Amino acid sequence: MKEPRVRVAGILVEDKNVLLIKQSKGDKFYWLLPGGGLDYGESFEQCLEREFMEETSLKIEADELIFVSESIAPDKSRHIVNLYFKVNLIGGEIKIGDEHNLLELKYMNIDEIENSTIYPNIKKELIEYIKNGCKQPAKLISSRWE
């Protein structure tokens, strides 16, 4: 029996811009929040700190939970639970990780977010979060698969 995959991602905001990473998968190119799969025995915070270091070379600390969403493929072949945390920058110099599918790191403003392909598609929620001054209670986002 297949089990859901848990992905932990961080929302790092600097001057109303959100750090996103461009990734390729086959012939698709899209942006996503830095983060990755939770390993067995690893806390959400440990996963987020590890993934941020691997993908961005930045040292961060996890803060509050902002969004929870899930992505279920129409054919039920994949089920991903996404946890999005506000993160605080501790240090480091931004540099893209070594994984071959990571293409670019970029702080995006609201207009760029609106005009980009972001997976899962949480553009509306990210923009609302920024416009609200990065303050809001945790929010459940309905299932999204694109």
Side-chain angles (χ1 to χ4, degrees):
M1 181 169 126
K2 286 188 159 189
E3 297 198 8
R5 175 177 181 249
V6 176
R7 184 175 189 276
V8 183
I11 303 172
L12 179 58
V13 178
E14 295 268 332
D15 299 321
K16 296 188 177 185
N17 298 307
V18 178
L19 182 63
L20 292 158
I21 190 163
K22 189 174 188 180
Q23 183 170 330
S24 66
K25 192 170 200 176
D27 61 350
K28 283 183 158 183
F29 299 93
Y30 54 90
W31 295 90
L32 67 160
L33 292 164
L38 181 70
D39 291 336
Y40 184 83
E42 184 176 51
S43 71
F44 298 144
E45 293 88 352
Q46 290 168 333
C47 176
L48 198 49
E49 290 168 6
R50 174 182 55 77
E51 288 287 347
F52 247 82
M53 183 58 70
E54 289 174 3
E55 293 180 355
T56 71
S57 299
L58 296 175
K59 183 170 177 57
I60 55 95
E61 69 176 358
D63 201 326
E64 60 191 344
L65 179 66
I66 303 299
F67 308 124
V68 176
S69 74
E70 61 183 346
S71 300
I72 303 171
D75 66 358
K76 307 284 193 257
S77 62
R78 295 187 59 196
H79 183 173
I80 305 165
V81 176
N82 301 285
L83 305 172
Y84 306 95
F85 288 86
K86 174 183 177 183
V87 297
N88 300 311
L89 181 62
I90 302 298
E93 190 171 315
I94 193 167
K95 178 181 164 243
I96 197 160
D98 295 332
E99 294 176 44
H100 72 281
N101 61 329
L102 302 180
L103 305 175
E104 182 181 353
L105 281 169
K106 182 177 182 179
Y107 279 96
M108 287 191 181
N109 63 36
I110 289 172
D111 291 335
E112 291 172 306
I113 291 169
E114 284 180 341
N115 296 309
S116 297
T117 301
I118 297 176
Y119 288 144
N121 186 356
I122 59 164
K123 294 191 280 190
K124 177 182 154 209
E125 290 81 10
L126 271 178
I127 291 167
E128 182 181 300
Y129 177 69
I130 294 165
K131 285 182 175 178
N132 288 337
C134 301
K135 294 183 171 105
Q136 73 179 43
K139 180 177 184 175
L140 177 62
I141 301 171
S142 63
S143 180
R144 307 234 170 116
W145 186 270
E146 290 183 36

